[in-house]
Amino acid sequence: MTDTPPPALDRELQHPTRLALVAYLSSCTEAEFGVLRDYCGISDSVTSKTVSALEKAGHVSVRKGYVAKRPRTWVALTREGRRALQAHLAALEEIVTAARRAGAEQQG
């Protein structure tokens, strides 16, 4: 066992649905609520709760408006959210690298 602390995973991005939603948003300026719901394969309620949790954490921003007379919600990844995703992915890579190294040493 080493004395190095474990990598810092982002607590808000550890849930697969939150991670998938943020990863999707990282590739676009913003996305409509329904697109996020369909991409993640979840209900309106779960999408709403997920977006609310990420908004509270400062990872996403929410914009509401209308298309014709229909209300719409758009979600965008914030700068903080983008940094959090990059750091989270780097921490995951660190975990994988350390595990592979430890496995290789055991095979030795």
Side-chain angles (χ1 to χ4, degrees), residues 5-70:
L9 294 171
D10 186 296
R11 190 172 181 85
E12 296 301 322
L13 299 180
Q14 288 186 33
H15 190 281
T17 302
R18 290 180 186 180
L19 180 57
L21 193 145
V22 168
Y24 183 91
L25 288 172
S26 72
S27 69
C28 56
T29 305
E30 67 181 1
E32 199 268 323
F33 182 92
V35 171
L36 293 172
R37 176 200 60 217
D38 295 346
Y39 174 76
C40 292
I42 54 178
S43 67
D44 284 346
S45 173
V46 172
T47 305
S48 180
K49 289 175 185 175
T50 301
V51 168
S52 291
L54 290 168
E55 183 179 30
K56 184 177 178 183
H59 291 352
V60 301
S61 62
V62 177
R63 180 175 67 88
K64 296 187 180 272
Y66 289 86
V67 173
K69 293 184 179 184
R70 294 182 165 260

Side-chain angles (χ1 to χ4, degrees), residues 9 19 84-94:
L9 294 171
L19 180 57
L85 176 61
Q86 290 170 346
H88 187 77
L89 294 176
L92 288 172
E93 283 292 330
E94 230 179 285

